[in-house]
Amino acid sequence: EINSHSHLDPCHLNGSHDGILCFSSKCDLDFVCVSTRGYIYRPVCFLMSAMAEERRQKHCSVVLPTESMKAMAESVGVGQLQEDSCVALSEEVSYRIKEIAQDALKFMHHGKRRKLTTSDIDNALKLKNVEPLYGFQSQEFIPFRFASGGGRELHFYEEKEVDLSDIINTPLPRVPLDVSLKAHWLSIEGMQPAIPENPPPATKEQQKVESTEPLKVVKPGQEEEGTIQGKGQGTTTPDGKGQCLGLIRLKPRSTHELSVEQQLYYKEITEACVGSCEAKRAEALQSIATDPGLYQMLPRFSTFISEGVRVNVVQNNLALLIYLMRMVKALMDNPTLYLEKYLHELIPAVVTCIVSKQLCLRPDVDNHWALRDFAARLMAQSCKTFSTTTNNIQSRITKTFTKSWLDDKTQWTTRYGCIAGLAELGPDVIKTLIIPRLAIEGARIKAVMEGPVISNIDKIGAEHVQSLLLKHCASVIAKLRSPPDNVEQYRTEYGYLGPMLCSHVMKARTQAALQAQQVNRTTLTITQPRPTLSVSQSGLSGSSGPRTPSIIKVPSSLTLMSPRPGTPSQPSPPATKYIVMATSAGAASTQQVILVITLSSSQSASPVTSTVPSATSTLQPLVKLEPGSGPGLTASRPLQKYIVVSLPSSASSSLETKSSVLPTSISSSSLDGGMKLERSESPGASTQSPH
Amino acid sequence: MAAVQGGMSDADIETDIKTEPSTDGFGNNNANDGRVLSASPGSGSSTGSNKQTAAVTPEDQQTLLAVLQFLKKNKLIESVEILRREAGLPENSLDPKATESAGAGSGGAAGIVDLEGGDVSSLLSRVTGSSSAGAQAPTKAVAEDQPDVRVVLSAYSQQGDPTLYEVYYSDLKKFIETVLDCHRAELSQVFYPLFVHMYLELVYNNHESEAKAFFEKFSGDQECYYEEDLRVLSGLTKKEHMRGNETLLDFRTSKFVLRISRDSYQLLKRHLQERQNNQIWNIIQEHLYIDIFDGMPRSKSQIDAMSGSLAGEAKREANKTKVYYGLLKEPEIELPLDDEDEEAENEEGKPKKKKPKKDSMGSKSKKQDPNAPSQNRIPLPELKDSDKLDKIMYMKEATKRIRLGSDNLPSVCFYTFLNAYQGLTAVDFTDDSSLIAGGFADSTVRVWSVTPKKLRKVKSAADLNLIDKESDDVLERIMDEKTASESKIMYGHSGPVYGISFSPDRNYLLSSSEDGTVRLWSLLTFTCLVAYKGHNYPVWDTQFSPYGYYFVSGGHDRVARLWATDHYQPLRIFSGHLADITCTRFHPNSNYVATGSSDRTIRVWDVLSGNCVRIFTGHKGPIHSLAFSPNGKFLASGATDGRVLLWDIGHGLMMGELKGHTDTIYSLRFSRDGEILASGSMDNTVRLWDVMKAFDDLETDDFTAATGHIHLQDNSQELLLGTYTTKSTPVIHLHFTRRNLLLAAGVSQL
């Protein structure tokens, strides 16, 4: 059964026909004897993959090419093999190998395996009364090397020279564990208990089937009850009388009763998610993001989140909203959950967090912008994941955002949310929906910035909208327009925002050029301490391209919230050092970010870009940081930004300690969700947090 | 087979073993029997050929002549005489006998039971190729090789214009496509055998390119379940290849059986005669056995249900023999009074349910089941005191048994073998579920105790001398406490252990291995007692009789053997399968043995006569599991195609098809009262099926029983009571405890 071997990657085998297969034929082609140990496995593999392909196409006989016969002949010292002999040989060899393969499959089946092993082929050879290939073992699946040269391509079996003393001197490996038996309950009176030994109750596909075709559901274990009941009523008989009865079972049985353990789990998780202990929260979120068995609790989580958002928006409890959004993110990260069914609860909650007029008690001080950003990104992610032609999530969301953005009476906060929500949907949306409105929006901002001061809140809002627009539009415009960036031209085209846009675009261009050189340069921006970090390309202030949504997991060994400013980081990979720079938006009045390097209380900082050899710098997965400020950096600063730059070991020794403003290559960072966290933990915000 | 050397026939065996009369035509039978006999160890060297059953029809003349020639050449005058005499007998006097006794025996089958050594080897060589024969067999075998193959293949030598083959075939195809719908499905059956034979003829006559073209043109038309065979076929492009290819030689030598209604057959015949399509007509005459029946032509689905085997369907006569599927009367055993009452009530209330699998639960009814074989049809071992104790235990347990049903599903306890590195190849539980044995790819056999009672060896002989043999607890005293452990390893095999089986009394363990032996192990000393040699090729499965003493084994050499533990030679040899025997099972009454094979058929053999009494076709892949229902009436089989088929043994009918598994089914087991069938598969699931419902649904239909043409309902989904998925552990063994708890075992693939 060839499909049992689909793990044989045909790519591996392409071209293997040119290898140095070594067969010598004796007895007038009567039997092919494998002369060089090991070589039979490869032709077998080759033929089997060929046969696998053959299965897909039609049946036709696959034979080894004659060139390999030549190569083999050469390798055993027979030069000038005639073409006819080659053809005859290759047919014979192919046939014999197929026979062996077929017999080997028998052994695999009886060995109750899905993988063919070399011992199966040995046994098949034994069956044919051929001496098996003793001692052919390999760590690798296909141990052949490829070489080409002189117009020939060869595959060969690499046998390294082994120094015996090395083997003698190496410590003995651990003795493998002995075979043992373990018993568990696969099912108890028809129900499969949810224990770690059993697979998660329902796979994503099953959940999907359940939600889309509720009448057809067959869940393992759980559904038994349902079908039995059906049978009891005689509903499932195939004939006509059964059909009318079958209609009785209209309503899908959803079995969402939670076991006591599940209830406990649910309680613990939800408490941890909104509780005060950050470590617990991280664990809880991690669990939500990875646990495969949450399917039954999903409706409860979903309700928890939507209700939570409803209540906390009214109460303006920023911290809790942030926690809830992080729960949404964790749910979305869980690959085993079929969320589609609960979008109707989750999406409104997320949208609320993006566009709500007020999300916190003190809009002038608290960083609700970060929450909006984060929620907007979540929204974009769910659009990407869940939008289909039937539910049209993306277009509906776009419409909602656009509509409220176009409304003159819309507040700055909502305005910001709408723009953020749209901008996160990608450059196309920016191009078609945001850029055309830049001039109008600019005028509106100008009115607030330069007009009579009505309220500080409006002003802050306008500033944020402005920086948001600049940030998102610059990179798109940089791609839309060709280089000579004329300030006047920008001004006429984009109005008030024109000049600023112009400078951002120019920065974006230089940045792009720089990136072209430094492909590998990356910065990490902390979004959340755990479980995820979002990675963004090092970008110009306000002009970084669309954020890359890639997420990397934080090694759990690292503690993220270091309380002391004096310890910058304990990088886990020893050869690499991190420099953590905290940048804080200095004065609240401008969005131009000034980089303040606060690493280790300013004792060491460096103009990183100059010392990093771009070619070798690699992305390092992490970082911990905390502004070296503590109470010093107080709530008066609305923003703190961090850039984490990893240095490869080669550069580590050459760190210069200079306190300076960075060159333009890294001038700022995007502010991410991580901030929210900081905010909520910081003294300024803690008054609102629930703990 | 090469080891078979010199195939000597043995007078002892002949008296003992009644070799199954030819079932599949001359060549195949030849080969099987040759192997069979020559394989018996320590056989004498009598050269005579002895029993011969020959039924001659004109088609066989040629073959017979060739055999005669061969015998003469080897100076086997006696054999020549006998054969000639038999061949000369009038046809009609032999025909009934042949058809009756031979399961699949065609009227024209010729059984040549014994052949002289050289001939045997030469026949064997068709399987192994001459070099293998040369390796061990006497040199003359090699010399004799050529002529014999010619004999076997001679039927292909007739020449037709190779270029016309395609025309013939497409002409027939066109004709069949245009006939009435009701006939089309039936006539389409001839496509596959015709295709194969035409292709083989082309290959045999060295028309390689025509053969290839023919294959490419028409292979796509064949039913998908023949794909495996077609792949083998596609590899075969030269006459030289044919010599060693078992599968196709079998195809050639055994007639492909088709069941066609008389109307359809007349239609086909008329067409072929009108068109002077002799090539095809010859093939139909020579290589096909058309089983004509009167009545309605069968529908496509009916045909599909039954086809798929290597050699077509079973002939109707093949399944006509009476099978005594009833259970034996249990010996009366004194039971504590209260238990007995309960038991008796149970029995009367539900007479059907008293079906024990191994140690049958005592059936107290005095009346003999009309379908049961007589008590001493085959000699069974006497019950020992310990057996009686065990029976009492069994009955006690049985009273606590949970009555299963669709609304009362069993619990499943899964035993996962850890750290086996996928080397677990066979598992068995004792009937009382106290021990688990595992066979491993590293040739070891391991036994675990799953109860707190540890495994202990018997003391050494010296120590045994010291104990007081008169004491009451002598059985306890002979055990050596120092050796107590939860598991024991037994070494002895030299290849992967593919089959394993506990004896009902838990004193012995059987294991069969790639090394060609079946070993009997003592569970008192944990040593090997006997190595039963005979198969010479990997032995895929073995099982103890439910009454102990006898056991059956089957393997790559395509024969199943019945052994008794105290004989080192087999008592019966069941030959007839066209490919490896992959699994073997004893009927609960111990009078029959079922074997499943890679030729995609299941055969049931009579232990008494050695005859094949049932042939079940319908599976589309090698059969890897079999299970008799506890009442002995039904058989369930599972194959690589992921389907479970249910069979009525008494009527020889297919009873149902259970679809759901997506991979090979390695294990099947009926619950103790036969209501639920559990199946375990490579697809990591255990499934439970409501077989009572399946049987009830079908039993209402009388017509099907009469004609044998069943209409299978596609109701697998309703019959499926539960699916339990493991994380990543294929299920390779299932076992119902006496109280109906389902135990499953497998090795984790993680």
Side-chain angles (χ1 to χ4, degrees):
Chain A
E1 191 50 31
I2 290 303
N3 61 0
S4 321
H5 307 287
S6 44
H7 64 277
L8 277 185
D9 183 3
C11 310
H12 272 285
L13 300 159
N14 283 343
S16 58
H17 49 276
D18 288 321
I20 41 169
L21 302 174
C22 294
F23 291 92
S24 64
S25 69
K26 58 180 180 190
C27 305
D28 179 30
L29 298 188
D30 260 341
F31 211 86
V32 175
C33 168
V34 180
S35 68
T36 307
R37 66 170 204 157
Y39 285 123
I40 189 162
Y41 294 119
R42 199 165 53 86
V44 167
C45 293
F46 164 69
L47 273 173
M48 290 209 303
S49 72
M51 282 154 74
E53 269 169 25
E54 168 190 346
R55 181 196 186 88
R56 262 168 258 136
Q57 308 153 6
K58 282 270 165 198
H59 291 280
C60 59
S61 42
V62 177
V63 288
L64 292 167
T66 51
E67 295 85 57
S68 33
M69 293 303 122
K70 280 201 182 121
M72 280 182 254
E74 276 171 35
S75 72
V76 292
V78 180
Q80 300 304 315
L81 203 60
Q82 284 185 359
E83 195 60 29
D84 288 353
S85 338
C86 282
V87 171
L89 260 176
S90 75
E91 276 174 4
E92 182 64 19
V93 169
S94 307
Y95 176 71
R96 296 296 166 197
I97 290 175
K98 280 182 194 175
E99 266 194 337
I100 291 167
Q102 276 156 6
D103 280 338
L105 288 180
K106 241 177 227 175
F107 283 93
M108 180 193 78
H109 277 303
H110 283 283
K112 302 180 170 82
R113 278 174 280 116
R114 284 197 193 87
K115 269 187 191 165
L116 191 76
T117 62
T118 51
S119 65
D120 291 331
I121 294 175
D122 282 342
N123 285 333
L125 287 171
K126 257 163 103 177
L127 212 59
K128 301 255 171 237
N129 222 0
V130 181
E131 198 173 352
L133 308 159
Y134 293 112
F136 184 85
Q137 271 157 354
S138 171
Q139 301 290 315
E140 298 147 90
F141 186 59
I142 296 174
F144 298 98
R145 299 282 172 274
F146 174 77
S148 62
R152 296 277 295 263
E153 291 181 333
L154 283 181
H155 289 259
F156 60 95
Y157 179 51
E158 189 174 55
E159 282 179 301
K160 291 196 185 105
E161 276 184 28
V162 180
D163 190 352
L164 277 181
S165 63
D166 281 357
I167 294 178
I168 294 162
N169 293 330
T170 47
L172 288 170
R174 264 197 338 178
V175 179
L177 295 168
D178 197 16
V179 184
S180 60
L181 268 179
K182 183 179 189 307
H184 75 270
W185 289 107
L186 185 67
S187 141
I188 296 171
E189 290 172 6
M191 294 285 285
Q192 191 160 30
I195 48 174
E197 287 86 352
N198 288 328
T203 63
K204 208 168 178 177
E205 287 70 38
Q206 283 166 326
Q207 294 174 38
K208 183 174 176 182
V209 170
E210 187 197 21
S211 61
T212 51
E213 293 169 273
L215 287 171
K216 284 192 190 166
V217 192
V218 181
K219 265 179 291 164
Q222 279 104 24
E223 193 55 25
E224 256 55 82
E225 239 184 333
T227 44
I228 290 156
Q229 285 194 351
K231 280 195 181 103
Q233 301 155 5
T235 53
T236 42
T237 41
D239 41 355
K241 67 172 186 245
Q243 276 176 357
C244 55
L245 283 169
L247 294 174
I248 295 166
R249 248 183 97 198
L250 276 177
K251 213 162 177 234
R253 287 169 40 83
S254 46
T255 48
H256 290 308
E257 305 88 30
L258 298 189
S259 65
V260 179
E261 295 83 5
Q262 284 172 317
Q263 287 172 23
L264 274 175
Y265 174 86
Y266 173 75
K267 188 164 162 274
E268 284 286 316
I269 288 282
T270 47
E271 276 172 11
C273 279
V274 295
S276 54
C277 175
E278 185 55 35
K280 257 192 174 173
R281 179 173 11 261
E283 260 176 63
L285 289 173
Q286 177 83 11
S287 172
I288 295 178
T290 54
D291 202 307
L294 297 182
Y295 141 79
Q296 282 185 306
M297 277 171 274
L298 192 51
R300 278 153 173 94
F301 278 128
S302 151
T303 315
F304 178 81
I305 290 166
S306 79
E307 286 299 309
V309 168
R310 201 188 308 241
V311 170
N312 287 295
V313 161
V314 174
Q315 297 188 347
N316 292 322
N317 194 334
L318 181 62
L320 273 182
L321 289 174
I322 290 170
Y323 300 149
L324 291 170
M325 284 303 107
R326 289 170 67 189
M327 276 181 81
V328 175
K329 170 112 178 87
L331 285 175
M332 286 178 59
D333 286 345
N334 190 324
T336 62
L337 293 178
Y338 183 76
L339 278 184
E340 274 84 339
K341 215 174 160 186
Y342 305 98
L343 290 179
H344 67 282
E345 285 188 320
L346 295 177
I347 287 187
V350 174
V351 173
T352 305
C353 288
I354 301 175
V355 298
S356 176
K357 260 185 267 182
Q358 198 178 352
L359 288 169
C360 50
L361 284 175
R362 295 178 300 167
D364 50 338
V365 182
D366 296 333
N367 187 4
H368 57 95
W369 311 107
L371 172 60
R372 294 177 197 276
D373 282 337
F374 182 67
R377 226 164 302 143
L378 272 182
M379 195 60 240
Q381 194 187 331
S382 42
C383 281
K384 211 178 280 168
T385 328
F386 305 117
S387 190
T388 62
T389 47
T390 20
N391 62 21
N392 273 327
I393 292 177
Q394 174 144 1
S395 66
R396 283 157 69 188
I397 290 293
T398 317
K399 250 178 237 163
T400 314
F401 285 146
T402 325
K403 201 175 150 211
S404 56
W405 183 25
L406 295 183
D407 191 344
D408 275 345
K409 293 186 197 91
T410 306
Q411 301 232 348
W412 283 107
T413 46
T414 306
R415 198 169 288 280
Y416 178 92
C418 293
I419 299 171
L422 286 172
E424 292 293 345
L425 292 174
D428 284 343
V429 178
I430 295 176
K431 195 171 110 186
T432 51
L433 291 175
I434 300 182
I435 289 178
R437 281 189 58 85
L438 276 178
I440 304 164
E441 208 56 35
R444 201 192 302 274
I445 293 168
K446 189 180 175 191
V448 176
M449 305 288 268
E450 293 175 357
V453 179
I454 305 156
S455 93
N456 195 30
I457 292 174
D458 277 350
K459 198 167 175 195
I460 295 170
E463 273 168 24
H464 276 92
V465 170
Q466 178 183 320
S467 65
L468 181 76
L469 285 171
L470 293 175
K471 185 173 77 179
H472 285 296
C473 294
S475 62
V476 179
I477 291 175
K479 281 185 190 121
L480 283 178
R481 301 175 68 105
S482 41
D485 294 311
N486 186 332
V487 179
E488 284 311 309
Q489 222 175 341
Y490 272 80
R491 190 190 298 282
T492 50
E493 209 159 317
Y494 304 115
Y496 172 71
L497 292 173
M500 276 178 278
L501 262 180
C502 182
S503 67
H504 273 86
V505 169
M506 285 193 299
K507 276 183 206 160
R509 290 197 205 285
T510 47
Q511 177 65 30
L514 217 94
Q515 269 179 353
Q517 295 164 358
Q518 306 183 348
V519 187
N520 292 328
R521 283 287 320 290
T522 351
T523 56
L524 296 184
T525 309
I526 309 275
T527 55
Q528 300 163 23
R530 271 177 94 180
T532 56
L533 287 176
S534 84
V535 181
S536 69
Q537 300 294 100
S538 60
L540 283 169
S541 134
S543 64
S544 60
R547 244 175 289 251
T548 50
S550 53
I551 300 300
I552 56 169
K553 293 261 189 266
V554 180
S556 54
S557 61
L558 288 172
T559 52
L560 278 149
M561 302 306 291
S562 150
R564 281 164 298 139
T567 52
S569 65
Q570 267 96 48
S572 51
T576 315
K577 299 201 173 177
Y578 297 105
I579 297 181
V580 179
M581 288 168 293
T583 71
S584 71
S589 59
T590 170
Q591 274 310 114
Q592 290 293 61
V593 176
I594 299 162
L595 279 170
V596 180
I597 294 158
T598 57
L599 176 66
S600 309
S601 309
S602 310
Q603 51 165 271
S604 70
S606 80
V608 189
T609 48
S610 57
T611 55
V612 177
S614 60
T616 54
S617 71
T618 49
L619 180 63
Q620 293 296 331
L622 175 344
V623 171
K624 88 178 151 172
L625 54 117
E626 169 75 320
S629 53
L633 292 175
T634 60
S636 64
R637 269 185 221 168
L639 289 172
Q640 284 181 318
K641 304 192 175 188
Y642 301 95
I643 299 180
V644 181
V645 179
S646 66
L647 294 182
S649 50
S650 60
S652 61
S653 57
S654 64
L655 288 181
E656 297 166 51
T657 29
K658 266 190 246 162
S659 208
S660 68
V661 174
L662 286 178
T664 53
S665 59
I666 299 182
S667 56
S668 175
S669 72
S670 41
L671 170 62
D672 279 301
M675 267 321 299
K676 299 170 295 199
L677 181 68
E678 244 97 68
R679 286 285 93 203
S680 60
E681 295 290 312
S682 73
S686 62
T687 51
Q688 294 140 8
S689 55
H691 36 82
Chain B
M1 255 131 285
V4 191
Q5 38 347 93
M8 325 94 177
S9 41
D10 181 348
D12 287 356
I13 299 180
E14 275 143 33
T15 56
D16 239 28
I17 301 165
K18 203 168 185 180
T19 309
E20 218 249 318
S22 93
T23 53
D24 300 294
F26 167 71
N28 180 53
N29 198 53
N30 224 350
N32 274 335
D33 288 341
R35 251 183 279 177
V36 162
L37 292 169
S38 57
S40 35
S43 48
S45 57
S46 89
T47 51
S49 35
N50 317 58
K51 286 172 294 166
Q52 295 177 349
T53 325
V56 186
T57 53
E59 306 95 87
D60 284 323
Q61 289 290 8
Q62 199 184 0
T63 333
L64 268 174
L65 283 174
V67 173
L68 282 171
Q69 228 168 7
F70 174 82
L71 292 174
K72 212 181 268 173
K73 197 166 134 201
N74 288 279
K75 310 203 167 48
L76 297 166
I77 309 304
E78 198 186 340
S79 309
V80 172
E81 277 307 301
I82 296 170
L83 184 58
R84 195 169 277 159
R85 203 166 52 234
E86 299 234 353
L89 283 173
E91 241 178 274
N92 55 2
S93 72
L94 265 175
D95 253 356
K97 185 183 157 207
T99 45
E100 194 179 17
S101 60
S106 71
I112 305 301
V113 173
D114 275 352
L115 288 170
E116 187 272 338
D119 188 36
V120 168
S121 309
S122 63
L123 275 165
L124 297 176
S125 67
R126 73 190 176 79
V127 179
T128 53
S130 67
S131 76
S132 61
Q136 288 173 30
T139 46
K140 72 172 169 180
V142 180
E144 302 299 336
D145 188 36
Q146 273 316 105
D148 187 65
V149 171
R150 221 173 291 139
V151 169
V152 173
L153 295 172
S154 57
Y156 279 137
S157 59
Q158 50 169 316
Q159 270 283 20
D161 183 350
T163 52
L164 288 179
Y165 275 57
E166 277 188 30
V167 181
Y168 291 144
Y169 190 87
S170 28
D171 180 55
L172 183 71
K173 198 173 135 190
K174 231 174 275 160
F175 163 70
I176 290 177
E177 274 162 6
T178 53
V179 299
L180 286 175
D181 281 0
C182 62
H183 299 299
R184 191 185 305 148
E186 286 208 315
L187 292 181
S188 301
Q189 294 178 88
V190 305
F191 280 140
Y192 175 67
L194 267 185
F195 170 79
V196 177
H197 283 295
M198 290 173 84
Y199 177 76
L200 289 181
E201 270 190 28
L202 285 172
V203 171
Y204 183 78
N205 294 315
N206 288 323
H207 306 301
E208 203 182 315
S209 54
E210 283 92 346
K212 213 174 235 175
F214 183 78
F215 190 90
E216 265 162 39
K217 187 153 179 201
F218 299 114
S219 65
D221 300 347
Q222 310 304 328
E223 297 284 354
C224 55
Y225 38 79
Y226 292 122
E227 203 165 350
E228 284 292 295
D229 290 342
L230 288 179
R231 191 173 310 120
V232 177
L233 207 61
S234 71
L236 188 138
T237 52
K238 290 202 173 311
K239 192 176 172 183
E240 295 84 56
H241 296 161
M242 293 176 82
R243 193 169 47 202
N245 199 308
E246 309 161 52
T247 324
L248 292 165
L249 265 146
D250 285 332
F251 200 90
R252 150 70 191 91
T253 52
S254 60
K255 290 198 165 197
F256 196 95
V257 182
L258 299 171
R259 237 182 254 186
I260 292 183
S261 70
R262 189 171 298 283
D263 294 348
S264 307
Y265 179 70
Q266 296 295 356
L267 216 58
L268 177 70
K269 195 171 167 187
R270 211 177 310 133
H271 168 78
L272 291 176
Q273 282 169 354
E274 272 170 22
R275 303 297 293 264
Q276 303 278 309
N277 203 337
N278 286 329
Q279 202 70 33
I280 287 183
W281 186 241
N282 282 342
I283 292 177
I284 290 181
Q285 293 279 300
E286 246 173 81
H287 302 298
L288 268 50
Y289 179 92
I290 297 186
D291 193 4
I292 300 163
F293 62 87
D294 295 303
M296 288 276 290
R298 291 187 297 168
S299 70
K300 176 97 176 100
S301 63
Q302 283 177 316
I303 292 168
D304 280 347
M306 302 297 289
S307 53
S309 107
L310 194 64
E313 296 181 43
K315 288 168 203 160
R316 273 173 306 164
E317 311 88 76
N319 290 337
K320 290 283 188 244
T321 323
K322 165 126 177 103
V323 173
Y324 300 98
Y325 57 82
L327 301 180
L328 295 178
K329 213 165 64 181
E330 288 297 314
E332 311 232 350
I333 297 167
E334 290 296 318
L335 264 188
L337 199 62
D338 48 337
D339 278 3
E340 195 171 52
D341 284 349
E342 243 182 82
E343 195 61 32
E345 267 175 28
N346 245 341
E347 303 278 312
E348 279 159 20
K350 298 238 171 175
K352 247 189 187 165
K353 309 275 154 71
K354 53 164 174 171
K355 316 348 203 322
K357 174 98 203 219
K358 287 181 176 169
D359 325 52
S360 323
M361 170 203 302
S363 107
K364 293 290 175 310
S365 61
K366 294 283 175 282
K367 212 174 64 189
Q368 169 85 24
D369 181 347
N371 289 314
S374 64
Q375 209 66 11
N376 51 1
R377 188 165 178 266
I378 61 162
L380 292 172
E382 295 264 316
L383 279 188
K384 291 179 293 203
D385 286 351
S386 59
D387 296 334
K388 286 179 182 157
L389 280 175
D390 196 54
K391 285 225 181 295
I392 292 169
M393 272 304 292
Y394 175 77
M395 285 178 220
K396 279 183 181 165
E397 292 268 309
T399 59
K400 296 175 189 159
R401 175 183 300 166
I402 295 164
R403 175 127 300 153
L404 297 179
S406 54
D407 48 356
N408 195 6
L409 296 175
S411 299
V412 187
C413 179
F414 201 99
Y415 286 92
T416 311
F417 284 77
L418 301 172
N419 310 316
Y421 309 103
Q422 310 199 14
L424 182 73
T425 43
V427 182
D428 195 31
F429 287 88
T430 51
D431 187 61
D432 68 350
S433 314
S434 61
L435 304 176
I436 298 181
F440 291 84
D442 62 2
S443 321
T444 56
V445 173
R446 290 163 193 254
V447 182
W448 281 267
S449 167
V450 288
T451 58
K453 205 177 147 196
K454 300 208 163 165
L455 300 172
R456 294 168 303 176
K457 289 184 187 175
V458 171
K459 287 176 180 164
S460 68
D463 291 339
L464 283 177
N465 268 332
L466 301 177
I467 61 170
D468 173 13
K469 284 157 193 88
E470 302 305 315
S471 83
D472 286 343
D473 58 346
V474 65
L475 287 177
E476 194 56 32
R477 289 190 183 200
I478 58 171
M479 307 311 286
D480 187 352
E481 279 305 324
K482 279 176 287 188
T483 59
S485 65
E486 270 175 23
S487 82
K488 296 270 183 229
I489 308 181
M490 298 185 284
Y491 301 97
H493 281 296
S494 60
V497 179
Y498 290 117
I500 202 160
S501 174
F502 279 107
S503 71
D505 61 6
R506 295 187 298 282
N507 284 330
Y508 304 106
L509 177 68
L510 275 175
S511 64
S512 70
S513 158
E514 185 270 338
D515 63 13
T517 61
V518 178
R519 278 174 189 268
L520 181 72
W521 309 84
S522 163
L523 296 182
L524 290 171
T525 59
F526 294 97
T527 53
C528 182
L529 301 176
V530 196
Y532 301 94
K533 295 174 186 170
H535 278 288
N536 284 320
Y537 280 88
V539 188
W540 298 130
D541 199 8
T542 186
Q543 202 209 6
F544 252 115
S545 144
Y547 293 89
Y549 185 62
Y550 299 110
F551 64 94
V552 63
S553 65
H556 178 71
D557 60 3
R558 309 178 194 186
V559 290
R561 281 154 210 257
L562 178 82
W563 311 73
T565 47
D566 56 1
H567 287 60
Y568 63 90
Q569 291 164 350
L571 303 180
R572 295 286 182 276
I573 287 178
F574 307 116
S575 89
H577 276 297
L578 301 178
D580 300 31
I581 288 177
T582 46
C583 52
T584 54
R585 278 293 167 273
F586 255 102
H587 190 275
N589 69 17
S590 198
N591 278 261
Y592 296 91
V593 163
T595 55
S597 163
S598 303
D599 67 10
R600 309 189 285 272
T601 63
I602 298 150
R603 283 171 187 249
V604 179
W605 311 85
D606 187 341
V607 165
L608 183 70
S609 65
N611 288 341
C612 175
V613 292
R614 289 288 180 272
I615 302 177
F616 296 132
T617 61
H619 272 296
K620 321 287 191 239
I623 288 137
H624 276 273
S625 51
L626 288 171
F628 279 99
S629 69
N631 61 10
K633 274 172 95 173
F634 306 110
L635 178 68
S637 59
T640 53
D641 58 10
R643 299 179 317 144
V644 176
L645 295 182
L646 302 169
W647 310 92
D648 180 328
I649 299 167
H651 298 102
L653 285 178
M654 189 190 289
M655 296 289 287
E657 178 187 24
L658 306 175
K659 285 187 275 194
H661 282 292
T662 55
D663 208 335
T664 310
I665 295 159
Y666 279 116
S667 181
L668 281 171
R669 196 57 79 105
F670 281 91
S671 65
R672 292 284 175 156
D673 42 21
E675 297 212 321
I676 283 190
L677 176 70
S679 60
S681 157
M682 203 62 185
D683 65 9
N684 301 350
T685 58
V686 174
R687 286 171 201 253
L688 302 176
W689 309 89
D690 188 350
V691 282
M692 284 324 278
K693 185 166 153 47
F695 295 143
D696 291 344
D697 283 359
L698 213 75
E699 269 168 353
T700 54
D701 197 343
D702 292 337
F703 171 75
T704 55
T707 58
H709 302 154
I710 43 111
H711 285 279
L712 281 187
Q713 306 172 19
D714 190 13
N715 56 353
S716 303
Q717 279 310 310
E718 290 161 50
L719 300 176
L720 179 64
L721 296 176
T723 303
Y724 307 101
T725 315
T726 64
K727 252 183 174 168
S728 64
T729 311
V731 185
I732 64 174
H733 191 78
L734 292 169
H735 173 81
F736 274 98
T737 66
R738 290 170 175 178
R739 298 186 188 185
N740 266 338
L741 170 71
L742 180 58
L743 304 180
V747 61
S748 173
Q749 300 277 318
L750 283 179

